[in-house]
Amino acid sequence: MLAFICTACGTQYAPSETPPPHCTICEDDRQYVPPRGQTWTTLEALAASHFNACRQYEPGIIGIGAEPHFAIGQRALLVCTPHGNVLWDTIAMLDAATVTLIRALGGLAAIGISHPHFYTTMVEWSRAFGNVPIHLHAADRAWIMRPDPAIKLWDGETLALLPDVTLIRCGGHFPGGTVLHWAKGAGGHGVLCSSDICTVTMDRKFLSFMHSYPNLIPLSAEQVTGIAAALEPFAFATIYGHYFDRVIPTGGKHVLKISVERYLKAIGTYGS
Ligand SMILES: [Zn+2]
Ligand SMILES: [Zn+2]
């Protein structure tokens, strides 16, 4: 039995004799099946053809992403705090070098994931670090393709993971869409790990918000104002999106404000 991984989205399924007949994540309107059709790999095959690259953005924030690009191509973030390390989002690719390096930094206290597109090989990551808990918002439970006792579903609007580290449910892209706030990041000004719940745009000057990025389906005004309201109580300067180069270094809170205004104006609801 092998735990097959979808090559289009990186989702790993529960072990089976043959690859799953289709990918539930890719067939949803927030993803897509490539023109070539559905194909599958395994973690062993992936680790033979890829490696993980790391980038330290600031003390305590290290990005980890596969080279060459695999599936959606997001990078994870390792948030290192005096109270333990959190892995924010997971990527499909996990190898011995990655495990060795993270263990040398103190291992993991917890895994938090923004939404189902980045669940990937979360169970492998948990097992590699002593079955650490994987915190997923309960609203997205239907999209868990590899159930495991390490998965801890949380309900409500916020979850205090560690001192100064909070998961915030924003909704939007997925009903349980979650971001991570680290109050002590950015020299104490606060860091928001926004994944693609609030997407850092290509010019790194704005955020944007979508139901489906590949299929270009926007969110409603109500959903976007809901994201703004969820983030209102939190201070942050730096925003880390879900790709290596999607970072807003300063003024993050102001960027959120003008981004929400721009979005609402674009869909014709600003000021109404
Ligand atoms: Zn898929
Ligand atoms: Zn997504």
Side-chain angles (χ1 to χ4, degrees):
M1 301 254 279
L2 293 169
F4 289 95
I5 298 170
C6 169
T7 60
C9 71
T11 300
Q12 187 182 47
Y13 284 71
S16 57
E17 296 287 352
T18 56
H22 60 101
C23 177
T24 307
I25 302 295
C26 285
E27 290 187 357
D28 175 53
D29 70 359
R30 285 162 283 208
Q31 252 295 114
Y32 62 95
V33 177
R36 63 160 193 269
Q38 196 69 61
T39 63
W40 301 91
T41 188
T42 62
L43 185 53
E44 193 180 23
L46 190 60
S49 55
H50 290 66
F51 61 92
N52 280 336
C54 297
R55 172 183 286 175
Q56 179 163 305
Y57 292 100
E58 61 175 274
I61 300 272
I62 297 173
I64 304 168
E67 290 292 336
H69 175 106
F70 176 73
I72 294 173
Q74 80 278 10
R75 57 106 180 81
L77 288 169
L78 185 65
V79 181
C80 303
T81 86
H83 307 283
N85 302 333
V86 176
L87 183 71
W88 171 244
D89 283 336
T90 50
I91 57 173
M93 171 60 191
L94 175 63
D95 64 358
T98 309
V99 174
T100 300
L101 291 171
I102 294 176
R103 280 194 188 144
L105 292 170
L108 295 180
I111 297 171
I113 306 181
S114 58
H115 72 298
H117 290 153
F118 301 160
Y119 289 175
T120 64
T121 57
M122 59 182 175
V123 173
E124 307 279 359
W125 283 86
S126 168
R127 290 181 183 177
F129 297 98
N131 300 311
V132 287
I134 304 164
H135 298 281
L136 306 180
H137 198 281
D140 296 337
R141 67 198 313 159
W143 303 101
I144 297 168
M145 298 295 126
R146 187 177 181 186
D148 190 85
I151 296 172
K152 309 295 178 201
L153 297 173
W154 65 282
D155 256 316
E157 304 312 311
T158 58
L159 177 70
L161 260 197
L162 292 176
D164 308 313
V165 178
T166 308
L167 299 187
I168 306 160
R169 180 210 195 167
C170 288
H173 182 40
F174 273 82
T178 298
V179 299
L180 181 147
H181 180 257
W182 180 31
K184 293 286 170 65
H189 297 289
V191 151
L192 188 71
C193 301
S194 70
S195 195
D196 69 350
I197 304 307
C198 306
T199 294
V200 175
T201 55
M202 294 286 280
D203 64 9
R204 286 110 44 231
K205 294 175 182 172
F206 283 89
L207 299 166
S208 196
F209 319 90
M210 298 284 270
H211 171 77
S212 175
Y213 292 94
N215 303 317
L216 305 172
I217 307 170
L219 290 177
S220 68
E222 189 181 13
Q223 287 171 308
V224 172
T225 53
I227 293 170
L231 294 175
E232 184 54 37
F234 296 89
F236 49 89
T238 305
I239 302 176
Y240 295 101
H242 64 305
Y243 293 130
F244 269 120
D245 57 357
R246 304 290 187 95
V247 177
I248 294 171
T250 58
K253 193 74 187 234
H254 178 68
V255 168
L256 172 66
K257 179 177 180 288
I258 61 174
S259 298
V260 170
E261 288 171 1
R262 182 171 85 158
Y263 185 98
L264 296 177
K265 193 175 173 189
I267 62 167
T269 53
Y270 185 59
S272 62

